[in-house]
Amino acid sequence: SMMNRGRRTRRNENVRRMVRETRLSKDSLIYPLFLEEGSDIKAHIDAMPGQYRYSPDRVHEIIDECLEHGINKVILFGIPASKDSVGTQAYDEDAIVQSGIRKIKEEYGDDIYVVTDVCMCEYTDHGHCGILNDKEVDNDLTLPYLAKIALSHVEAGADMVAPSDMMDGRIDKIRKSLDEAGYNNIPIMSYAAKYASAFYGPFRDAADSAPSFGDRRAYQMDYHNRREAIKESLFDANEGADILMVKPALSYLDIIRDVKECTNLPVAAYSVSGEYSMIKNAGKAGLLDEYKTMCESTVSIYRAGADILLTYYAMEIADAIKRGDIG
């Protein structure tokens, strides 16, 4: 007789579900949302099938849809009407994200948890994530601006801020600035290990944020590096980050696992635009089953160690969990 048969605990759905190691909850999902300045806008994003940019007066349409699927957390990205060299629209109290937050909070209050992306690339006329000094992003010059952006989001009613710029020391600067203003209970989710990635392609179309020259490799991480992600994550943890994020997700599952093991903070992963659009378009082309691929790739991110997932598939994933196809 054979002592060990792995098949014994795979015989039927009941036993498979009992021994399942990775459990999913819709409570861990965050839906990314693009806000565009103006009114009566619901503009389809060509590079991201099924995703739209909304003006603040129509944002309730997508939020109602989220709530119907049991998704109550969003992360906001803004597309301003005008840009300049110091990204003024990123921290103006009447700018796009700030108006969007107020609109959402007026209508939904605490029913929607609002996270905001803190960066400058959508707001600068050069498309880089900070203030330029000649042709280079000046790290230390940028920090006060990031702190100003984060504070303006929180003053407008944001529940959490998520700096994505990859400037050194920004968590410390933002934490101090929020604390000084009396917002010591507002958490910071740091894009701690953000790689210079080709998978951001469709997002740059969505947010109109491609750099006008050069690239972001001087501040975003080199995808050859693994231990460096731990270094970055520990920097941010020591500076007061409450949640650490790895971005992108699918090609960085080892990094998610590493960050999970080197810290006691919750770990988030951002399944980025390129991951979403690849699965969408391959499904459309009949090359693979979109739904099953979404389910499998989603589970892989949680299996790697993510506690929180930012994804354009949030609603579909919530439905899949409810149906019992995953979770």
Side-chain angles (χ1 to χ4, degrees):
S1 82
M2 205 188 298
M3 295 290 270
N4 295 314
R5 290 185 191 269
R7 294 165 58 130
R8 291 180 193 131
T9 50
R10 297 183 204 126
R11 278 194 69 194
N12 58 40
E13 192 61 7
N14 286 336
V15 71
R16 282 195 299 273
R17 293 184 74 85
M18 183 174 74
V19 300
R20 186 164 280 176
E21 297 172 38
T22 306
R23 310 271 180 196
L24 275 60
S25 163
K26 65 178 177 4
D27 296 331
S28 64
L29 296 165
I30 301 177
Y31 182 70
L33 196 47
F34 298 103
L35 297 178
E36 185 172 354
E37 214 161 321
S39 59
D40 196 30
I41 297 167
K42 180 186 176 181
H44 187 252
I45 299 163
D46 293 340
M48 298 174 71
Q51 301 298 315
Y52 298 82
R53 299 176 175 190
Y54 295 86
S55 52
D57 60 331
R58 290 189 66 176
V59 78
H60 63 91
E61 296 174 26
I62 185 69
I63 290 192
D64 287 346
E65 207 182 316
C66 281
L67 288 170
E68 277 164 32
H69 293 266
I71 299 295
N72 64 354
K73 299 168 195 75
V74 294
I75 182 166
L76 303 182
F77 296 90
I79 297 107
S82 64
K83 305 185 179 209
D84 59 31
S85 64
V86 292
T88 310
Q89 287 296 302
Y91 46 83
D92 187 305
E93 64 177 72
D94 296 318
I96 179 62
V97 169
Q98 292 77 352
S99 315
I101 298 166
R102 281 198 296 271
K103 197 92 181 140
I104 293 167
K105 283 300 180 183
E106 273 161 28
E107 197 161 336
Y108 299 94
D110 288 337
D111 291 344
I112 287 283
Y113 192 84
V114 176
V115 185
T116 59
D117 175 74
V118 175
C119 196
M120 305 196 72
C121 61
E122 292 106 314
Y123 305 94
T124 52
D125 51 18
H126 46 75
H128 278 283
C129 301
I131 307 296
L132 293 186
N133 187 346
D134 199 20
K135 286 276 183 190
E136 207 168 310
V137 174
D138 188 320
N139 191 96
D140 298 13
L141 203 58
T142 301
L143 297 180
Y145 286 90
L146 295 169
K148 206 153 50 161
I149 297 167
L151 185 55
S152 75
H153 289 177
V154 173
E155 282 171 343
D159 295 296
M160 177 190 284
V161 291
S164 62
D165 54 281
M166 285 301 282
M167 297 298 130
D168 296 324
R170 83 245 204 251
I171 302 301
D172 179 60
K173 193 79 175 168
I174 291 169
R175 182 73 271 156
K176 285 185 171 133
S177 132
L178 292 179
D179 289 0
E180 277 162 23
Y183 296 110
N184 51 338
N185 287 327
I186 296 285
I188 299 173
M189 172 163 61
S190 170
Y191 287 67
K194 182 181 181 181
Y195 285 84
S197 170
F199 287 95
Y200 304 145
F203 175 93
R204 294 191 177 165
D205 174 56
D208 192 21
S209 65
S212 60
F213 65 89
D215 53 42
R216 301 190 173 131
R217 286 185 297 191
Y219 43 100
Q220 291 178 356
M221 286 184 59
D222 177 353
Y223 59 69
H224 297 79
N225 293 359
R226 187 174 167 183
R227 286 182 307 142
E228 189 186 5
I230 296 176
K231 180 181 82 170
E232 286 286 353
S233 300
L234 292 176
F235 279 165
D236 290 1
N238 291 334
E239 287 174 30
D242 300 283
I243 297 169
L244 300 171
M245 189 206 295
V246 175
K247 182 181 180 185
L250 273 188
S251 292
Y252 298 85
L253 298 176
D254 57 326
I255 309 301
I256 295 170
R257 170 59 56 189
D258 288 343
V259 172
K260 179 75 169 226
E261 286 176 354
C262 81
T263 161
N264 294 320
L265 294 177
V267 177
Y270 196 144
S271 184
V272 300
S273 58
E275 299 170 38
Y276 170 82
S277 296
M278 281 196 312
I279 295 172
K280 263 282 184 226
N281 286 314
K284 263 190 185 157
L287 299 173
L288 44 75
D289 181 318
E290 182 194 340
Y291 180 74
K292 286 181 174 169
T293 307
M294 172 198 79
C295 287
E296 185 180 333
S297 59
T298 298
V299 170
S300 78
I301 297 165
Y302 283 99
R303 192 187 64 234
D307 302 293
I308 298 158
L309 180 60
L310 298 88
T311 171
Y312 302 96
Y313 271 128
M315 291 183 245
E316 293 88 339
I317 292 166
D319 294 348
I321 293 171
K322 196 174 180 181
R323 273 199 287 273
D325 291 338
I326 52 175

